[in-house]
Amino acid sequence: MLLFLRKCLLLAACFALVSACTPAFDWRKVGDAAGTYSATFPAKPVEATREFVIAGETLNLTLHSATAQGAFFAVGTLPLTAEQQAKAPEILKALQAAMTNNIAATQSKEQQVVIAGRQWTQVRAEGSLGKGKPAVMLGRFVVLPGKVLEVIALGEQGVMSEEVMDAWFSGFKLERDAP
């Protein structure tokens, strides 16, 4: 899982280099194929799906992600079988740990937040990216019927401002709960 997320970050960084001539944040609304959510990405998102084992379960994580100005934005979806749904809290914790590990977090704060009537776990972490650059990550995680969602903003502290994170998270909307 950690290797997959690092590869996604590397892929997103490559896309950032290719799109260096575009505006810093070119916000655009995109929905997932299942109609579960819509998100306003700061650049054209890419999609990648990878199978991995977490909490003893083999899962497919589909990640829609975009990079702009060195900041990484992603929505991850993990479909769950009825049997896996019982392990959803454990899976959720493992996803949170993987994200904080990606920036070698030295500080993290977890809190429960209610968004549109649904309980989310929000994790804010500070750590470093490659070459020791200070980084910040804000992630929101939720269990829905038949799936787990993660919404992530990650980047260097100077780039990942409160305004950028607010724009990203305010542009995310659950369209429906069903798988």
Side-chain angles (χ1 to χ4, degrees):
M1 161 94 175
L2 183 61
L3 181 60
F4 171 65
L5 292 174
R6 285 187 179 164
K7 285 181 181 179
C8 285
L9 285 173
L10 180 61
L11 178 65
C14 290
F15 281 107
L17 290 174
V18 171
S19 62
C21 298
T22 62
F25 294 103
D26 182 16
W27 297 99
R28 62 195 68 207
K29 189 173 184 175
V30 177
D32 71 324
T36 304
Y37 69 85
S38 63
T40 305
F41 283 89
K44 185 177 180 183
V46 295
E47 178 181 336
T49 300
R50 179 79 175 238
E51 184 178 277
F52 65 96
V53 177
I54 189 167
E57 298 292 329
T58 301
L59 302 168
N60 288 307
L61 172 67
T62 298
L63 197 66
H64 289 93
S65 63
T67 300
Q69 293 296 300
F72 177 75
F73 304 85
V75 179
T77 307
L78 277 165
L80 302 175
T81 64
E83 295 80 27
Q84 292 167 333
Q85 188 79 32
K87 285 189 168 183
E90 186 179 345
I91 292 167
L92 200 69
K93 283 288 186 195
L95 285 174
Q96 294 165 11
M99 289 310 303
T100 57
N101 288 340
N102 277 339
I103 62 166
T106 55
Q107 301 179 43
S108 67
K109 178 184 176 187
E110 180 181 314
Q111 67 184 59
Q112 300 302 307
V113 295
V114 177
I115 302 167
R118 181 159 295 281
Q119 185 82 21
W120 291 71
T121 300
Q122 179 171 287
V123 177
R124 183 182 182 100
E126 294 181 9
S128 62
L129 296 172
K131 298 184 182 179
K133 295 180 181 177
V136 63
M137 184 276 299
L138 183 63
R140 292 182 178 161
F141 306 84
V142 67
V143 176
L144 301 173
K147 67 180 68 178
V148 171
L149 285 180
E150 62 178 358
V151 184
I152 305 294
L154 183 152
E156 289 184 41
Q157 285 186 345
V159 175
M160 190 54 69
S161 67
E162 293 300 322
E163 294 81 18
V164 171
M165 285 189 282
D166 287 346
W168 167 242
F169 285 102
S170 66
F172 178 85
K173 181 180 176 194
L174 277 179
E175 301 294 344
R176 65 185 183 98
D177 285 350

